[in-house]
Amino acid sequence: MTLKEITYALFYLLAFGLAIWSGLTIGFTDTHTPPMPFLIECIALIIGAVILFADIFNKGLSKTFSNFKIHIIGLAMNGLVMAYILALTL
């Protein structure tokens, strides 16, 4: 793994860990405001998507699955937490 992939993995794991930790301590639901895990995941998914698209449109990078594996796994993990939080509101 390159330093760039390690940095991406740490970012996704940090966002995932913070969302789970804040959900367990504060709660996954709130009365009138979005819960803290929702805000953390929203920010993480937006930043992750921007970084993914920047990597996709990078001309020096070959477009293979292995180059985007960290993004796919990280966005999927954080997306599942976001889906869980949204499912609790329905």
Side-chain angles (χ1 to χ4, degrees), residues 18-40:
L18 279 174
I20 296 298
W21 177 76
S22 66
L24 293 175
T25 57
I26 299 171
F28 286 101
T29 58
D30 204 354
T31 54
H32 297 290
T33 60
M36 184 60 73
F38 179 83
L39 298 174
I40 292 170

Side-chain angles (χ1 to χ4, degrees), residues 68-86:
F68 302 113
K69 186 171 34 176
I70 297 294
H71 288 298
I72 293 168
I73 292 169
L75 289 171
M77 279 186 352
N78 290 309
L80 287 174
V81 173
M82 177 71 86
Y84 175 73
I85 296 167
L86 290 175

Side-chain angles (χ1 to χ4, degrees), residues 53-63:
F53 286 119
D55 280 349
I56 288 173
F57 294 116
N58 186 0
K59 294 183 186 208
L61 187 65
S62 63
K63 310 298 188 266

Side-chain angles (χ1 to χ4, degrees), residues 4-53:
K4 186 176 176 182
E5 291 172 335
I6 292 171
T7 305
Y8 292 161
L10 288 175
F11 167 72
Y12 289 126
L13 285 173
L14 179 68
F16 181 78
L18 279 174
I20 296 298
W21 177 76
S22 66
L24 293 175
T25 57
I26 299 171
F28 286 101
T29 58
D30 204 354
T31 54
H32 297 290
T33 60
M36 184 60 73
F38 179 83
L39 298 174
I40 292 170
E41 291 299 334
C42 187
I43 292 169
L45 289 174
I46 291 170
I47 292 172
V50 168
I51 293 171
L52 172 65
F53 286 119

